[in-house]
Amino acid sequence: MHAAHGIFAADKGWELVGAIGAAALALAAVGPGRFSIDHAVGARRPTAVPR
């Protein structure tokens, strides 16, 4: 759909779609880590209690 219009977003190209896709692939490869919402609000999983 976007490939025929070229790369530039001003010409309805695929620039934005490519950037969003690259960001999604990067997050899928390495995980969110410190950029996750859980990290931002301080949510932690409860640790296992040793018996």
Side-chain angles (χ1 to χ4, degrees):
M1 175 177 205
H2 296 278
H5 297 286
I7 188 172
F8 298 109
D11 298 327
K12 296 183 171 77
W14 58 271
E15 186 177 60
L16 177 62
V17 177
I20 293 171
L25 286 174
L27 282 175
V30 298
R34 64 181 163 164
F35 299 112
S36 68
I37 293 174
D38 289 340
H39 186 269
V41 297
R44 301 284 184 254
R45 287 189 218 157
T47 57
V49 177
R51 292 182 181 197

